[in-house]
Amino acid sequence: MDIMSMSIEQLRERLAEAGQPAYRAKQLYEWMHVRLAASYDEMTNLPKALRERFAAEWPLTVHEKVVVLESEIDGTRKYLFRLADGNVIESVWMKYHHGNSVCISSQVGCRMGCSFCASTIGGLVRNLEPSEMLGQIYAIQRDTGERVDNVVVMGTGEPLDNYDNLLIFLNMLTDENGLHISQRNVTVSTCGLVPKLRELADEKLAITAAISLHAPNDELRKKLMPVANAYSVKELLDAADYYVAVTGRRITFEYSLIDGVNDTDACARELAALLRSRNCHVNLIPVNPVRERNYRRSLVTNVLQFQKKLENEGINVTIRRELGSDIDAACGQLRRHYEARVGSEGGEG
Ligand code: SAH
């Protein structure tokens, strides 16, 4: 395990093996996870010889910033980071009136195969380590000089497909010895891996679960999301109910609107019937057209009508505010376009 994915206890053991006193664990942990040191050189209360030794033996997970795109409209920033093994991942920084949010990736690529999503086109490359999820937030906080208030795990990857690392990450992110972001300010978005969603409920964290529903019935959902072949809408909603019952947290359903596919009047009625009695919030996302796919986003009038129909049934609905519309917007597009470019130039790929 890399040094930045370790708990303080694990660090203590590692340091003891290296003949170091226990108090060094806390020092080191604080440099890595509170002060966000980008190198051992910054850790000035550690003896120089020790810093050199640690640097050689236990490299820090520090993401290299490859591309930053900043929206001229709203200041949203998209980051492309290079990992130690050469893979690239993307993260987004958004400014809201209630604070700064970072959207992070949980995997390099994704194997869920949703038909409207750019992140999954090249399949799954590998899981991210806990430190590689944290590293996105740390790099952005260092770069902007502003505190990150909210974290959403909604970038590339299916977080519940990288469950063990996700849990370590969540614990470290919200732990009082680290950045100490409130669990209430963390959202994990899933395409609906039902058994894992139930496991997550049993962790009894105060985080928000967001479920990518995108269709009100199995037939349509199967056309959009292969995961619907494994779990029915009913099983998914049962797991959502379980999450609410166990954690007391309201759940969010995400619904990306695709013109003529899932934005019809019949879909709105069917969705309303499903969610009417549930303690939930619906987030409508006009689909981001992906170059490699032929979906079109719903017309603004349809989006508003869809919202109205749900609201008429007493359902709480918001339309995702579009941020950074002037920069590569859809999930996974920045990475894809970067890799396509590097690949065609015969670069490192
Ligand atoms: N794998 C997780 C998180 C990643 S995607 C999940 O499925 O929830 C975050 C959200 O963006 C999901 O709701 C996803 O379905 C949606 N999404 C992906 N591509 C999109 C696109 N092109 N337009 C609109 N929403 C998209």
Side-chain angles (χ1 to χ4, degrees), residues 103-104 106-107 110 112 114 116-119 153-160 188-192 210-214 225 254-258 285-290 293 297 320 330-333:
C103 173
I104 66 154
S106 55
Q107 296 179 313
C110 181
M112 294 297 129
C114 298
F116 45 82
C117 179
S119 299
V153 189
M154 272 192 196
T156 299
E158 168 49 46
L160 300 189
V188 172
S189 176
T190 176
C191 66
I211 297 179
S212 300
L213 192 56
H214 304 321
M225 307 175 74
E254 293 160 281
Y255 197 100
S256 297
L257 290 163
I258 309 170
I285 316 169
V287 80
N288 276 309
V290 172
R293 311 289 199 206
R297 77 176 21 193
R320 167 141 349 140
C331 310
Q333 292 211 122

Side-chain angles (χ1 to χ4, degrees), residues 227-302:
V227 69
N229 293 302
Y231 309 106
S232 67
V233 169
K234 168 147 194 340
E235 287 171 302
L236 183 53
L237 292 180
D238 284 349
D241 292 346
Y242 182 73
Y243 191 93
V244 174
V246 170
T247 64
R249 302 281 298 163
R250 191 175 69 162
I251 217 148
T252 296
F253 290 103
E254 293 160 281
Y255 197 100
S256 297
L257 290 163
I258 309 170
D259 184 40
V261 175
N262 65 355
D263 67 345
T264 60
D265 197 36
C267 282
R269 266 185 278 122
E270 211 177 338
L271 185 65
L274 281 184
L275 302 185
R276 201 162 26 216
S277 61
R278 293 190 150 88
N279 179 13
C280 69
H281 166 242
V282 175
N283 198 3
L284 298 176
I285 316 169
V287 80
N288 276 309
V290 172
R291 210 183 283 166
E292 294 83 349
R293 311 289 199 206
N294 55 8
Y295 290 131
R296 276 163 309 163
R297 77 176 21 193
S298 302
L299 304 171
V300 175
T301 49
N302 277 358

Side-chain angles (χ1 to χ4, degrees), residues 144-159:
T144 59
E146 291 187 36
R147 178 164 168 92
V148 171
D149 305 291
N150 306 290
V151 172
V152 294
V153 189
M154 272 192 196
T156 299
E158 168 49 46

